[in-house]
């Protein structure tokens, strides 16, 4: 009688294993194919139900990674033509059009109703997403600026109480640093770069308010404050560059920029330790709330809620960058346009003269209507945040932008990056008139709040301060 050898059984076992593997692969592939077919069917039904049409398409040479799109953006930034080229792109390809950014399909839009859908109406169907988190990962990984979902809700709740205190409007601190700003101006009437002085001013104010210790970069520009302000600028450029590089961001060595990251982190860490120590000291003294103890210091308010050093560092860093850069940019742009418009300058000066030379209260500042018009008009022409983006977490329909007339709804598939450029939105002539590119503060006498003007974002994620 013949008995099979052990090799026979071994071969048969291998064959059976291969059969099982192939069967499993076949079942999985069939399952995925069915899922894909059902998803495609569901999407087609949604497209038909809403009457969606394809938006105009920006010509992308690389359909996989969109390398040509990223290269064009980086080149435009270096040439300082990015804003102009972005506006021209919308003029040529439509107020809503499709494109590609690394591995993401992209919808670019400057339609107010589309932006409202993304930021407000369908807020929960979008997230900040991987592109921005990747860009800020080395700098502010735990900041509200890059948080999504429950993490964002926690960060918002964590930070919001610190912005509800009357001390946030501490005009005495502003006045103290304004005197240093005036002292830094040349007395001989020579030309001066106000932008640089404004960035130092806002850095001094922000560090004073947040940490209780100003870096005093205006009176001492060659001290540490000067190094910190330069490092902050380098870090900001690093984040912007990483965003445009997309999935290739970690492949590009930038040792100088990462040294600046360490400078900023070391500075933040030193204050985090101070805040935690202050909190522990108050606890030992039995004053857990710390009410009525000294002046209001932002970091001490945050330290009441957590002693997680990384969370404190990155949350403080996020607020520091937002508070310093945005205000300095607004002041620089405001004086840029006022210097070229004597009539606006004289009208604004006349309104301020009504204060009689005394320091105004917060309520009196709010009553300076023409100042508000000038600030709004500056923010319209030179928005602090030039553009932003969201990633769709589910299939969504935007109300406008499809078809040749751009009036049909647009289907946005899950995983699509939706980008909007506020610098282009704010100068659309069909929304603002033929003088859209002109500085005309008087237009704000009749303008009402709407989604065509978004200096501080919109919806639940609008500016927290």
């Amino acid at each position: 009688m013949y008995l099979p050898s052990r090799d026979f059984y071994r071969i048969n076992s291998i064959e059976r294993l291969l059969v099982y593997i192939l069967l499993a692969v076949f079942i999985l592939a069939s399952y995925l194919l069915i899922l894909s077919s059902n998803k495609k069917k569901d999407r087609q039904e949604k497209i038909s139900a809403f009457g969606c049409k394809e938006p105009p398409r920006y010509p992308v040479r690389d359909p996989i990674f969109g390398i040509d799109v990223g290269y064009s953006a980086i080149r435009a930034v270096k040439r300082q033509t990015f804003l102009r080229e972005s506006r021209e792109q919308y003029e040529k390809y439509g107020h809503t059009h499709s494109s590609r950014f690394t591995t993401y399909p992209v919808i670019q839009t400057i339609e107010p109703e589309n932006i409202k859908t993304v930021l407000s109406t369908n807020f929960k169907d979008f997230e900040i997403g991987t592109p921005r988190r990747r860009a800020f990962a080395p700098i502010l990984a735990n900041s509200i600026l890059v948080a999504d979902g429950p993490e964002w809700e926690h960060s918002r709740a964590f930070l919001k109480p610190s912005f509800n205190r009357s001390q946030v409007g501490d005009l005495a601190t502003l006045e103290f640093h304004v005197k240093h700003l005036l002292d830094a101006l040349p007395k001989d009437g020579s030309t001066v770069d106000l932008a640089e002085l404004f960035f130092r001013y806002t850095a001094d104010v922000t560090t004073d308010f947040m940490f209780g210790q100003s870096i005093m970069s205006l009176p001492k520009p060659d001290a540490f404050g000067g190094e910190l302000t330069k490092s902050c600028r380098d870090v900001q450029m690093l984040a912007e560059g990483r965003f445009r590089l997309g999935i290739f961001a970690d492949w590009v060595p930038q040792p100088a920029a990462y040294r600046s990251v360490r400078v900023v982190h070391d500075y933040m860490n030193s204050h985090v330790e101070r805040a935690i120590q202050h909190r522990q000291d108050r606890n030992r003294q039995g004053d857990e709330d710390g009410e009525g103890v000294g002046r209001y210091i932002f970091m001490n308010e945050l330290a009441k809620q957590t002693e997680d050093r990384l969370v404190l560092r990155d949350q403080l860093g996020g607020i520091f960058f937002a508070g310093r850069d945005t205000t300095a940019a607004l002041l620089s742009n405001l004086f840029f346009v006022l210097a070229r418009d004597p009539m606006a300058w004289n009208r604004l000066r006349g309104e301020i003269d009504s204060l009689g030379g005394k320091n105004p209260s917060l309520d009196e500042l709010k009553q300076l209507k023409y100042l508000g018009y000038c600030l709004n008009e500056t923010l319209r022409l030179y928005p602090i945040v030039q553009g932003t983006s969201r990633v769709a977490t589910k299939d969504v329909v935007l109300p406008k932008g499809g078809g040749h007339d751009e009036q049909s709804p647009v289907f946005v598939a899950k995983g699509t990056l939706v980008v909007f450029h506020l610098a282009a939105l704010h100068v659309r002539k069909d929304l603002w008139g033929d003088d859209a590119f002109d500085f005309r503060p008087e237009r704000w006498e009749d303008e009402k709040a709407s989604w065509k003007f978004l200096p501080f974002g919109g919806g639940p994620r609008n500016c927290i301060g």
Side-chain angles (χ1 to χ4, degrees):
M1 178 179 174
Y2 172 76
L3 293 175
S5 68
R6 291 182 179 178
D7 288 341
F8 174 84
Y9 288 113
R10 187 183 301 114
I11 292 172
N12 280 355
S13 298
I14 293 173
E15 289 177 346
R16 283 198 298 273
L17 179 61
L18 288 174
V19 170
Y20 292 151
I21 292 174
L22 290 174
L23 183 60
V25 169
F26 174 76
I27 293 173
L28 178 61
S30 299
Y31 174 71
L32 293 176
L33 185 62
I34 293 171
L35 277 183
S36 176
S37 178
N38 289 340
K39 181 184 289 186
K40 187 175 181 180
K41 180 181 177 183
D42 291 342
R43 285 179 171 176
Q44 195 57 51
E45 289 177 353
K46 192 169 188 176
I47 290 171
S48 299
F50 284 90
C52 297
K53 293 182 180 179
E54 289 285 331
R57 186 182 299 275
Y58 176 82
V60 180
R61 295 187 180 89
D62 176 8
I64 300 175
F65 295 113
I67 291 176
D68 56 305
V69 177
Y71 174 75
S72 296
I74 293 172
R75 183 181 59 185
V77 169
K78 289 182 177 180
R79 293 178 175 177
Q80 298 184 351
T81 59
F82 180 76
L83 298 182
R84 175 176 60 79
E85 290 186 25
S86 295
R87 289 196 300 267
E88 292 173 351
Q89 183 172 318
Y90 284 105
E91 291 170 1
K92 184 174 182 179
Y93 298 103
H95 294 150
T96 299
H97 56 268
S98 64
S99 181
R100 190 159 194 87
F101 176 72
T102 62
T103 57
Y104 287 88
V106 174
I107 295 293
Q108 296 190 188
T109 184
I110 52 171
E111 284 293 349
E113 286 304 309
N114 289 347
I115 297 174
K116 178 182 178 181
T117 297
V118 175
L119 297 183
S120 181
T121 310
N122 288 58
F123 170 75
K124 293 186 176 180
D125 298 336
F126 291 88
E127 64 179 11
I128 291 296
T130 302
R132 191 189 297 185
R133 284 198 297 272
R134 182 193 295 118
F136 282 92
I139 310 156
L140 304 169
N142 300 284
S143 168
I144 189 174
L145 298 179
V146 295
D148 276 316
E151 183 183 351
W152 170 79
E153 293 176 0
H154 174 74
S155 292
R156 186 87 175 187
F158 174 71
L159 292 170
K160 190 63 177 177
S162 298
F163 284 95
N164 287 336
R165 297 282 297 272
S166 60
Q167 290 93 328
V168 174
D170 180 8
L171 298 184
T173 298
L174 299 180
E175 179 67 20
F176 174 79
H177 293 288
V178 163
K179 291 178 180 178
H180 287 152
L181 174 62
L182 296 177
D183 289 341
L185 295 173
K187 303 300 185 290
D188 58 0
S190 58
T191 302
V192 61
D193 182 359
L194 281 179
E196 177 63 29
L197 295 182
F198 283 142
F199 272 98
R200 291 187 197 172
Y201 166 73
T202 54
D204 289 356
V205 171
T206 305
T207 51
D208 201 346
F209 162 70
M210 291 185 64
F211 310 123
Q213 293 181 355
S214 173
I215 59 174
M216 302 296 281
S217 64
L218 277 170
K220 303 174 183 177
D222 296 326
F224 170 72
E227 180 187 4
L228 180 64
T229 53
K230 178 183 181 302
S231 295
C232 288
R233 197 170 303 148
D234 293 343
V235 166
Q236 184 180 19
M237 295 304 295
L238 172 66
E240 292 178 5
R242 285 178 59 85
F243 184 88
R244 293 187 178 94
L245 287 169
I247 59 174
F248 306 105
D250 293 326
W251 297 7
V252 179
Q254 301 179 72
Y258 285 99
R259 281 196 295 272
S260 294
V261 172
R262 286 195 294 273
V263 170
V264 174
H265 280 174
D266 289 345
Y267 175 73
M268 295 296 167
N269 287 334
S270 67
H271 288 299
V272 167
E273 294 303 323
R274 286 180 53 236
I276 292 174
Q277 185 61 52
H278 177 270
R279 180 63 182 156
Q280 292 172 348
D281 291 344
R282 302 313 308 172
N283 287 343
R284 281 194 294 270
Q285 296 171 20
D287 182 11
E288 295 185 1
D289 294 329
E291 297 294 335
V293 179
R295 57 175 290 205
Y296 174 86
I297 299 175
F298 186 81
M299 69 174 185
N300 291 342
E301 294 298 307
L302 294 190
K304 291 178 181 179
Q305 303 178 58
T306 183
E307 291 189 2
D308 186 314
R309 285 166 169 77
L310 284 179
V311 169
L312 284 172
R313 184 196 74 186
D314 289 354
Q315 295 289 20
L316 286 169
I319 300 301
F320 173 75
F321 279 108
R324 169 188 176 266
D325 292 348
T326 55
T327 308
L330 174 56
L331 288 172
S332 301
N333 292 328
L334 174 63
F335 277 80
F336 174 81
V337 291
L338 287 176
R340 287 156 178 77
D341 193 327
M343 291 182 63
W345 173 270
N346 290 330
R347 181 174 173 181
L348 178 59
R349 186 168 184 174
E351 183 179 66
I352 293 173
D353 283 345
S354 67
L355 296 171
K358 67 181 182 64
N359 293 339
S361 66
L362 198 57
D363 288 336
E364 287 174 325
L365 282 176
K366 293 178 180 178
Q367 295 303 314
L368 299 176
K369 291 186 177 181
Y370 194 70
L371 174 60
Y373 298 161
C374 288
L375 291 172
N376 278 348
E377 187 70 344
T378 303
L379 287 167
R380 183 184 71 82
L381 288 172
Y382 304 100
I384 296 168
V385 178
Q386 308 291 345
T388 187
S389 64
R390 296 290 188 272
V391 176
T393 58
K394 61 187 296 186
D395 294 345
V396 181
V397 173
L398 298 182
K400 195 174 181 181
H404 294 296
D405 60 0
E406 301 181 44
Q407 298 302 307
S408 298
V410 174
F411 178 77
V412 178
K414 176 182 177 181
T416 299
L417 181 69
V418 181
V419 178
F420 22 91
H421 293 95
L422 305 182
L425 168 68
H426 287 180
V427 291
R428 277 181 54 177
K429 290 187 176 181
D430 59 321
L431 298 177
W432 297 97
D434 291 336
D435 63 351
F437 286 90
D438 297 337
F439 178 73
R440 189 170 66 83
E442 290 75 15
R443 79 174 75 240
W444 292 96
E445 293 174 354
D446 303 316
E447 283 291 345
K448 306 296 182 184
S450 72
W451 286 89
K452 70 178 184 179
F453 179 60
L454 298 169
F456 305 108
R461 286 195 81 125
N462 66 338
C463 179
I464 193 171

